Amino acid sequence: RIDRRVWIAAAVVLLVVVGAFPFWGGAIGARVAASVLARKLGAEVTVGHGRAGLRGLRLYDVRIGESERAPLAVLDRLDAPYAAAWGGGDVLIDGARFEIEHGGSGDNVSAILEHLGGRKAASGSGGGGGARKIPAVALRNGQLRARDIRHGAAVVVDGLNFDLTPGRDLVVETAALAGMVRVRGRENDPKFGAGKVELRVPLDGLHPVLTPSLELNGGYVEPLTHLGLTGIRGTVKPNPAAKGPS
């Protein structure tokens, strides 16, 4: 017969293990998530810490593509259900900063694009099997800073939100957008921007099936310092009779 004290000790240990699950489960989940993302993106990925729940995992301070200048992306918080591992549920990113530089010594995106292109080509040549399901992804409160050194262009986006629902659509919204195209290398180079932009792209899986629709408010274009168009607003919608991209 097992002593009563053994049962009590076992119950205490079990309670401690279960009670600490959000912490040790979160630590394990953070390591697994960082490893999976790094393998898929071909870039260094770190996770500050994680917390595990009954339905999913919450990750904090996710950094993608560390470089000499700045990470390609810093995600303040990422909520992912366990079902996301097999393409279910909804992933939420709350608070994100993207610093993209293409070309030049601080390039932090070309290697990732090449890696993703190689993965796509390899999967396409493998033959057989259906496409892997991807969960819906939503971003809230994002910021984007992008520079293309090679082509002399830069864009800044604040209040970036998007909702990606595979098989339905991609909706991108911005609260403010501004950009510049380097022509003469001076402050009077052409500029453009908008107060609010909404882009909607119908999807078949992850592939666009129709021309995107675009709604713009508070837009402006300034090709020269003293020559500009402001207050641009309007909506561009696809022709329902037109065929989508092949």
Side-chain angles (χ1 to χ4, degrees):
R1 182 180 180 182
I2 301 178
D3 192 284
R4 182 181 178 185
R5 288 173 296 180
V6 174
W7 286 109
I8 294 175
V12 170
V13 171
L14 180 61
L15 287 174
V16 170
V17 171
V18 172
F21 170 70
F23 303 97
W24 61 261
I28 293 174
R31 288 190 178 186
V32 172
S35 176
V36 171
L37 286 173
R39 186 174 67 251
K40 289 184 176 296
L41 297 175
E44 180 182 354
V45 177
T46 62
V47 178
H49 64 283
R51 290 290 182 269
L54 296 178
R55 297 183 178 180
L57 188 66
R58 175 168 289 181
L59 305 177
Y60 297 91
D61 193 24
V62 180
R63 295 173 176 262
I64 301 173
E66 295 278 5
S67 69
E68 295 180 358
R69 295 188 67 255
L72 172 66
V74 178
L75 314 181
D76 294 339
R77 194 189 83 198
L78 187 153
D79 293 334
Y82 299 126
W86 52 87
D90 300 325
V91 175
L92 172 64
I93 302 169
D94 190 2
R97 296 174 300 283
F98 300 93
E99 295 280 350
I100 301 173
E101 184 161 319
H102 182 256
S105 59
D107 191 316
N108 61 1
V109 71
S110 292
I112 293 178
L113 294 176
E114 290 177 6
H115 178 81
L116 293 175
R119 285 176 56 90
K120 183 177 180 180
S123 62
S125 62
R132 185 181 183 278
K133 288 185 63 179
I134 296 176
V137 180
L139 168 70
R140 297 292 179 266
N141 306 311
Q143 296 178 332
L144 170 68
R145 306 286 185 272
R147 293 198 307 166
D148 190 324
I149 306 300
R150 193 171 303 166
H151 297 93
V155 66
V156 176
V157 178
D158 286 325
L160 175 63
N161 300 320
F162 74 71
D163 290 276
L164 170 63
T165 307
R168 193 176 75 184
D169 59 14
L170 167 66
V171 180
V172 181
E173 296 179 346
T174 71
L177 178 151
M180 174 183 288
V181 179
R182 185 66 66 185
V183 176
R184 294 170 291 273
R186 300 175 183 175
E187 293 184 357
N188 58 354
D189 280 336
K191 303 176 181 65
F192 62 90
K196 180 181 178 181
V197 176
E198 179 179 316
L199 176 70
R200 188 178 297 269
V201 185
L203 300 175
D204 178 10
L206 289 177
H207 302 286
V209 293
L210 288 173
T211 303
S213 62
L214 175 69
E215 182 178 344
L216 184 145
N217 286 285
Y220 66 88
V221 178
E222 188 177 304
L224 298 172
T225 304
H226 302 292
L227 177 62
L229 297 174
T230 61
I232 301 172
R233 59 181 301 175
T235 302
V236 178
K237 293 185 178 180
N239 183 352
K243 296 182 179 180
S246 59

